[in-house]
Amino acid sequence: MSFSFPSPFYAMADTLNRPALSFQRLTQQLCAGGVRLLQLRVKQQPTRDFVSLATAVRRICHDSQCTLIINDRVDVALAVESDGVHLGQEDLPLTAARKVVGGEKIIGVSTHTAQQALTAEQEGADYIGFGPLFGTTTKATGYTARGLEQLQEVRQQVHIPIVAIGGITAERAPAVLQAGADAVALISDIVLAPDIQHRVKTLLRQLDSPKG
């Protein structure tokens, strides 16, 4: 069965090292704002702590009927029975990950070029991430900003859903969707907001209008 994003907003649970914000609290606020799909991005935590944290996040997502994707870690995704996993270019190869998680789990793949996007589709990815679309400080990808033109080129070449990521703000999001993305991932614009729940609700209302 082909996958589609439940909403044009692809939420990222990444605290950006905000000392007063836990992953659980962030997840609660995102879900309360109406998020339907969330990727848990946890860096530099021991596996035991990651599994404990992901278990708590999964419970919140389950209660809110929100799809949970674990970033990078196939083992953690399996351990907590998440809905899927998102792989980077340096992570476990997609074909190997599919053997491990089976055909029912969602697998997304980060891509930075049209060739990477095509390869991900050919190997069976359910969706791709494409970026960094604009300049971003939340993740060092080693790639320069891809821009809307390259997003349009990728959209013409692949048929699976695309989530655009990297430097996207609420103001830029409509243009990104119009350029061919099925969903947009915003991190700083959401996580650094004084009221995350309100920010999410406002964004979802903004993105609710159909693409022109």
Side-chain angles (χ1 to χ4, degrees):
M1 181 177 289
S2 60
F3 170 78
S4 60
F5 292 115
S7 160
F9 175 42
Y10 182 108
M12 302 286 289
D14 183 335
T15 63
L16 299 180
N17 298 315
R18 279 184 64 180
L21 185 64
S22 69
F23 282 96
Q24 292 94 322
R25 179 65 180 148
L26 173 57
T27 300
Q28 287 170 341
Q29 292 184 351
L30 289 169
C31 289
V35 161
R36 309 301 298 156
L37 182 147
L38 177 151
Q39 182 193 126
L40 177 61
R41 182 198 273 182
V42 177
K43 301 290 184 183
Q44 298 173 332
Q45 281 219 23
T47 299
R48 180 182 293 271
D49 294 344
F50 191 171
V51 168
S52 176
L53 169 60
T55 299
V57 166
R58 183 191 178 278
R59 193 175 301 117
I60 297 165
C61 287
H62 184 266
D63 290 344
S64 302
Q65 297 182 313
C66 175
T67 298
L68 174 63
I69 305 292
I70 299 294
N71 187 48
D72 293 343
R73 297 287 298 271
V74 173
D75 56 338
V76 175
L78 276 176
V80 304
E81 298 182 344
S82 69
D83 300 292
V85 64
H86 186 90
L87 304 172
Q89 289 294 316
E90 306 301 318
D91 294 328
L92 190 68
L94 195 159
T95 49
R98 181 61 77 192
K99 289 178 183 176
V100 174
V101 303
E104 299 303 310
K105 298 286 187 187
I106 301 162
I107 299 183
V109 177
S110 292
T111 66
H112 315 287
T113 67
Q115 186 54 57
Q116 288 176 356
L118 283 166
T119 299
E121 180 176 40
Q122 289 162 1
E123 292 183 350
D126 293 293
Y127 73 90
I128 59 166
F130 184 73
L133 210 61
F134 307 109
T136 178
T137 58
T138 59
K139 186 180 181 183
T141 63
Y143 291 88
T144 56
R146 307 285 87 178
L148 295 177
E149 200 170 303
Q150 287 192 54
L151 171 60
Q152 289 171 329
E153 291 173 8
V154 170
R155 174 73 286 165
Q156 290 167 3
Q157 295 184 54
V158 300
H159 303 93
I160 55 176
I162 299 172
V163 54
I165 188 169
I168 301 172
T169 60
E171 291 71 33
R172 286 169 159 171
V176 176
L177 293 172
Q178 204 146 26
D182 299 281
V184 287
L186 287 72
I187 305 174
S188 300
D189 199 288
I190 300 294
V191 175
L192 300 182
D195 186 334
I196 292 171
Q197 182 179 334
H198 176 71
R199 185 67 169 154
V200 170
K201 286 183 176 178
T202 302
L203 176 68
L204 288 173
R205 279 198 301 270
Q206 176 190 331
L207 300 181
D208 205 27
S209 57
K211 288 188 278 184

